[in-house]
């Protein structure tokens, strides 16, 4: 099948050659029967996973050696787009020859990475990333069936988006890997927030513990802190010896990643008014509390101590925080 039979123009360039090859010539598409399992002296496992909201689904077949719990062979059927076929075919490759206890560790990122032509270029356009998530989920369904447990028992991470089954770890990793800046980009890459949208931001039909808007802000702040630390290490300059501008950036980064979420939960916030070096060698950071924190007794007690302690641990033991 030629390129123009599937996708035209420059859109095709967004797909790796590996993805294109597997779209056109999947290696493992097909099915196994109980007769096939008997011939292979193996147990047949058939698992399904799909999402009505996006129209894609996959059926996974395993032939498992019950003496060693090893997947001797595997096949799949895909009911969806070409990317779903390529993702499922790659997923089967990653399963064959492994023990069931090990394949449950395969993530959607492993599937997507395996389809890349080079490690720094995504294998598929953002809107197709959800296909690798689907491949990841059907593995959990098959393993749960074989082991006689609930598929959710394999989750070792917090699920942020129930619709697309996307974990907190996956979202943070995708933000970092692809240098994402908006919630819309997170949705494009993972499908998190694409359906009911409750996980995108507060105010949806279902209250969530984690929201994409907060995860994005916190992860970006962590990335900025790491960048500043690397820059400081490269320049061999300690926080105490930085210019005030660099000190302010470093302080704001720590506040964003470690402190502001705590204040926001109580309806408060703070702003940095000034940074001064004292004659005693201290770095005095002057702050003003905002919102509910303004006038709160804890602002000069436990909250102040917590802010100062975090800044001292992250940046310099010589920091003093002075509320004004």
């Amino acid at each position: 099948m030629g390129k123009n039979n599937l996708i035209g123009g420059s859109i095709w360039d967004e797909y790796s050659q590996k993805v294109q090859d597997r779209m056109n010539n999947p290696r493992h598409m097909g099915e196994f029967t109980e007769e096939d399992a008997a011939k292979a002296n193996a147990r047949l496992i058939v698992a399904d996973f799909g999402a009505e909201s996006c129209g894609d689904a996959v059926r996974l077949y395993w032939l498992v050696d019950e003496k060693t719990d090893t997947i001797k062979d595997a096949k799949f059927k895909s009911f969806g787009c070409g990317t779903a076929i390529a993702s499922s075919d790659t997923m089967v490759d990653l399963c064959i020859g492994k023990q069931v206890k090990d394949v449950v560790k395969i993530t959607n990122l492993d599937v997507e990475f395996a389809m890349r032509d080079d490690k720094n270029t995504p294998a598929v356009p953002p809107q197709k990333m959800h296909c690798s998530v689907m491949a990841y989920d059907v593995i959990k369904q098959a393993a749960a069936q074989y082991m006689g447990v609930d598929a959710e028992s394999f989750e070792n991470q917090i699920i942020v988006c129930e619709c697309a089954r996307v974990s907190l770890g996956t979202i943070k990793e995708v933000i970092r890997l692809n240098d994402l800046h908006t919630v819309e980009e997170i949705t494009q890459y993972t499908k998190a927030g694409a359906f009911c949208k409750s996980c995108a931001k507060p105010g949806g039909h279902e209250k969530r513990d984690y929201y994409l808007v907060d995860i994005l802000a916190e992860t970006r702040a962590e990335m900025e802190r790491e960048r500043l630390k690397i820059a400081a290490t490269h320049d061999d300059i300690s926080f105490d010896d930085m210019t005030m501008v660099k000190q302010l950036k470093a302080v704001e980064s720590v506040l964003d990643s470690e402190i502001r979420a705590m204040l926001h939960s109580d309806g408060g916030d703070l702003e940095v008014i000034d940074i001064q070096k004292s004659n005693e060698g201290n770095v005095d950071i002057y702050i003003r509390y905002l919102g509910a924190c303004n006038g709160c007794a804890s602002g000069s007690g436990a909250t102040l101590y917590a802010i100062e302690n975090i800044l001292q641990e992250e940046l310099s033991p010589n920091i003093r925080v002075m509320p004004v």
Side-chain angles (χ1 to χ4, degrees):
M1 183 181 293
K3 292 182 181 180
N4 293 332
N5 294 113
L6 290 177
I7 298 173
S10 62
I11 296 178
W12 187 263
D13 296 331
E14 297 186 67
Y15 293 81
S16 72
Q17 189 59 51
K18 289 180 181 179
V19 170
Q20 296 176 42
D21 291 343
R22 288 183 182 270
M23 281 181 178
N24 296 329
N25 301 293
R27 298 154 176 73
H28 306 290
M29 184 177 285
E31 61 183 335
F32 288 123
T33 65
E34 289 291 354
E35 183 178 349
D36 295 323
K39 289 179 180 179
N41 193 27
R43 177 181 169 188
L44 174 64
I45 297 294
V46 182
D48 295 321
F49 186 86
E52 293 181 3
S53 48
C54 66
D56 291 342
V58 62
R59 175 168 291 169
L60 177 62
Y61 298 84
W62 280 351
L63 295 183
V64 185
D65 182 346
E66 294 189 275
K67 292 182 180 179
T68 63
D69 295 330
T70 301
I71 301 166
K72 301 176 71 172
D73 204 353
K75 291 184 181 295
F76 77 96
K77 282 186 175 181
S78 180
F79 308 92
C81 64
T83 309
I85 292 173
S87 297
S88 298
D89 200 49
T90 302
M91 173 266 296
V92 169
D93 256 353
L94 297 177
C95 289
I96 295 174
K98 293 185 176 69
Q99 289 186 302
V100 174
K101 67 180 179 63
D102 292 324
V103 298
V104 296
K105 300 174 185 177
I106 295 171
T107 70
N108 56 303
L109 290 178
D110 294 325
V111 175
E112 194 272 332
F113 286 160
M115 296 191 295
R116 293 186 175 196
D117 292 333
D118 69 81
K119 65 180 182 179
N120 296 316
T121 305
V124 296
Q127 65 268 25
K128 291 297 182 180
M129 277 290 291
H130 70 286
C131 293
S132 60
V133 176
M134 186 172 64
Y136 156 81
D137 277 311
V138 77
I139 288 175
K140 302 296 187 291
Q141 295 294 332
Q145 186 182 143
Y146 178 76
M147 299 173 71
V149 299
D150 192 303
E152 292 186 0
S153 66
F154 296 121
E155 286 292 351
N156 57 10
Q157 296 194 61
I158 297 166
I159 297 298
V160 174
C161 178
E162 295 290 349
C163 299
R165 297 295 296 169
V166 187
S167 71
L168 176 62
T170 293
I171 292 170
K172 297 182 75 169
E173 184 70 16
V174 168
I175 292 170
R176 287 175 172 274
L177 183 66
N178 299 282
D179 192 26
L180 304 186
H181 289 78
T182 67
V183 170
E184 289 74 19
E185 288 177 325
I186 296 174
T187 301
Q188 287 178 339
Y189 272 78
T190 68
K191 285 298 178 182
F195 307 116
C196 80
K197 303 187 184 302
S198 289
C199 64
K201 61 183 179 181
H205 77 274
E206 180 182 1
K207 185 177 181 180
R208 308 290 297 168
D209 293 328
Y210 294 87
Y211 294 100
L212 300 183
V213 63
D214 297 325
I215 297 169
L216 176 63
E218 291 167 8
T219 305
R220 294 297 313 180
E222 289 172 5
M223 292 167 66
E224 177 63 14
R225 283 178 52 207
E226 290 165 7
R227 187 190 67 78
L228 289 172
K229 284 185 178 180
I230 291 172
T233 301
H234 179 73
D235 295 337
D236 197 26
I237 300 175
S238 69
F239 175 81
D240 294 15
D241 295 327
M242 289 179 182
T243 65
M244 190 178 75
V245 172
K246 287 188 175 181
Q247 285 181 336
L248 178 60
K249 288 183 177 180
V251 169
E252 287 288 353
S253 180
V254 174
L255 292 177
D256 286 339
S257 61
E258 303 288 343
I259 296 170
R260 283 202 165 96
M262 172 183 67
L263 302 181
H264 291 169
S265 65
D266 292 326
D269 202 345
L270 64 81
E271 61 179 343
V272 178
I273 302 301
D274 194 10
I275 298 178
Q276 297 181 5
K277 295 181 181 179
S278 72
N279 293 331
E280 296 82 16
N282 294 312
V283 179
D284 295 335
I285 300 174
Y286 293 86
I287 65 169
R288 176 186 295 132
Y289 289 116
L290 304 173
C293 292
N294 186 21
C296 177
S298 181
S300 58
T303 299
L304 179 64
Y305 174 79
I307 295 170
E308 187 173 77
N309 187 57
I310 290 172
L311 289 172
Q312 287 174 346
E313 288 182 356
E314 295 290 339
L315 299 176
S316 169
N318 296 320
I319 286 176
R320 295 188 304 187
V321 180
M322 323 285 281
V324 295

